Amino acid sequence: MSATAVPTAANATLRGGFLAAIFLMATSAIGPGFITQTATFTGKLGAAFAFAILASILIDFVVQLNIWRITALTRKNASETANAAIPGSGYLLAVLVMIGGLAFNVGNIAGAGLGMNAMFGLDPKIGGAISALLAIGVFLSKRAGLLLDRSLIGLGILMIVMTVIVAVTSNPPVGEALRQTVFPAVIDFPTITTIVGGTVGGYITYSGAHRLLDKGLVGEQHLAAVTRASLTGIAVTGVMRFVLFLAILGVVASGVTLDLSSQAANPAAQAFAAALGDWGMRIFGVVLWAAAITSVIGAAYTSVSFLVAFMEMTERSRNIATVIFIGVSLAVFVAIGTAPAALLVFVGGFNGLILPIGLTIFTYVGFARSDLMGGHRYNRPLLILSAIVCALTWYMGYRSFGAIFAFLGL
């Protein structure tokens, strides 16, 4: 009996560790920016947005698969891997990711405020402050790791289920969406760059990889499981993106025009309300708040994990730094005058501009630094795909730079 109990317990621990990494990545990606971007671009492009979703998912698969696998093989934090490969590049990557994480977290707190406003009518700044304090409570807990994993999984499942309900209710033109997935009426590079950034840009793709590092699920012996986990994380976000798109497309196709003209507009809230009336607003509030609070936690956790590029950190000092990071994000949110919805679209694009820098470093490690991966000769077809996507993300960033900053009216 005891001979089988140990491996069973070990397998359960492994499954739990990989599930935690999947949901940390997925809920970090499925934030308020994700929701607002999807609503904004569906209102703007209609069914043609389906192509942008497909393109982003294909890019996301390649980016995350390579970064997670190489992180598992090097057994190092991304900034440490970068510094070992190209001296000094880890510091650059850490600074950019933390800046992007801060920008994203301000947007996440803004989204939490919007969610509580939709649920209870609270002022968004008060709702954002309450949500930030709840996130701080997670990291002040003596069982922060367990609380982190369980809250992310529970809230992640909740928002997916509620979005499916709205998608079914809005009765979207699925056939037209599928047609334009392959034959789009328009291809918009800033849109693709923004939603790629909102799914794997900036800190997001490193979130699950660093969670696996913290749990010791690294090395060649875990490579197959890491591969499955990385693909599952992107699959979860891809399904959620498409379901949310269908929910909003159904509203748009019914003749409802979403207000995209003002920075203060909240197109996702408009769509949910059009689909289900007052109940739609309440459901939107729950979905947006769940997305926001999990992303506040994920952004803070991952951004602070990059501080190891500059200093040694214990688990306690990391938790304290994470609390400070959330506090700074909250202070910036309270102080800024930019409308939350506009900020939520901008931060995805901003992280899309950061993405090619880290991907370039990891692609180089895969091709030229097998010594950092314990002598492992990395899969060449995956590296070729990584190089292609790397060039594509640089090109999209170049084409999209001005349009992305225009989301803030700059």
Side-chain angles (χ1 to χ4, degrees):
M1 179 176 177
S2 60
T4 58
V6 173
T8 300
N11 289 339
T13 301
L14 286 174
R15 283 195 301 272
F18 284 114
L19 191 62
I22 289 167
F23 270 87
L24 178 61
M25 177 270 150
T27 54
S28 293
I30 305 170
F34 178 105
I35 292 170
T36 306
Q37 293 156 19
T38 303
T40 299
F41 294 132
T42 303
K44 177 183 173 184
L45 301 175
F49 184 48
F51 173 80
I53 294 174
L54 175 63
S56 72
I57 290 172
L58 295 175
I59 292 170
D60 296 343
F61 272 127
V62 174
V63 172
Q64 181 150 299
L65 185 59
N66 282 289
I67 288 178
W68 280 38
R69 282 168 57 92
I70 291 172
T71 298
L73 289 168
T74 62
R75 302 170 182 260
K76 296 179 186 293
N77 176 289
S79 55
E80 294 175 309
T81 297
N83 269 338
I86 307 170
S89 66
Y91 300 124
L92 173 64
L93 182 61
V95 169
L96 289 174
V97 167
M98 286 189 287
I99 290 172
L102 179 65
F104 227 117
N105 226 27
V106 174
N108 291 334
I109 293 174
L114 287 174
M116 294 196 86
N117 174 262
M119 284 190 287
F120 308 119
L122 275 179
D123 181 284
K125 289 193 174 181
I126 294 175
I130 292 171
S131 302
L133 291 174
L134 287 173
I136 285 172
V138 170
F139 291 100
L140 290 178
S141 168
K142 291 182 179 178
R143 306 183 70 188
L146 181 63
L147 190 57
L148 170 68
D149 294 342
R150 290 187 176 177
S151 62
L152 292 175
I153 292 171
L155 289 169
I157 292 171
L158 172 68
M159 61 185 168
I160 290 171
V161 169
M162 298 192 83
T163 305
V164 168
I165 292 172
V166 178
V168 171
T169 304
S170 73
N171 192 29
V174 177
E176 177 64 12
L178 291 175
R179 186 184 71 79
Q180 295 220 37
T181 300
V182 182
F183 302 108
V186 60
I187 297 175
D188 190 294
F189 282 110
T191 295
I192 298 172
T193 302
T194 298
I195 63 175
V196 167
T199 307
V200 293
Y203 74 91
I204 298 173
T205 194
Y206 305 107
S207 57
H210 285 185
R211 193 66 181 146
L212 292 177
L213 278 177
D214 285 348
K215 291 182 172 291
L217 300 176
V218 292
E220 198 163 353
Q221 70 273 26
H222 289 128
L223 198 56
V226 168
T227 299
R228 288 193 299 272
S230 66
L231 295 177
T232 302
I234 293 299
V236 169
T237 59
V239 168
M240 178 65 176
R241 176 85 74 179
F242 205 77
V243 169
L244 181 61
F245 157 69
L246 288 176
I248 296 166
L249 182 63
V251 171
V252 172
S254 72
V256 174
T257 301
L258 302 181
D259 176 17
L260 306 176
S261 60
S262 129
Q263 282 198 332
N266 192 337
Q270 297 167 41
F272 275 61
L276 292 173
D278 287 342
W279 273 106
M281 279 299 293
R282 300 292 180 269
I283 290 176
F284 165 76
V286 172
V287 170
L288 187 65
W289 184 83
I293 193 70
T294 52
S295 293
V296 168
I297 292 169
Y301 168 86
T302 310
S303 298
V304 168
S305 73
F306 277 81
L307 279 176
V308 299
F310 304 98
M311 65 187 78
E312 293 289 332
M313 301 189 77
T314 64
E315 183 177 355
R316 175 172 169 74
S317 64
R318 271 182 59 172
N319 285 343
I320 292 171
T322 305
V323 167
I324 294 171
F325 186 89
I326 296 173
V328 171
S329 304
L330 174 60
V332 174
F333 163 63
V334 171
I336 62 173
T338 304
L343 182 66
L344 292 173
V345 177
F346 165 74
V347 290
F350 182 79
N351 277 330
L353 298 176
I354 295 173
L355 170 63
I357 297 171
L359 184 59
T360 298
I361 296 169
F362 273 78
T363 304
Y364 165 71
V365 170
F367 271 117
R369 297 302 303 270
S370 63
D371 57 310
L372 297 179
M373 299 183 289
H376 180 88
R377 187 178 187 277
Y378 196 79
N379 184 292
R380 262 28 192 183
L382 283 180
L383 279 178
I384 292 169
L385 286 174
S386 185
I388 293 170
V389 168
C390 191
L392 179 61
T393 53
W394 276 112
Y395 174 72
M396 290 194 307
Y398 167 75
R399 286 285 304 271
S400 309
F401 189 87
I404 286 168
F405 277 88
F407 289 134
L408 285 181
L410 298 179

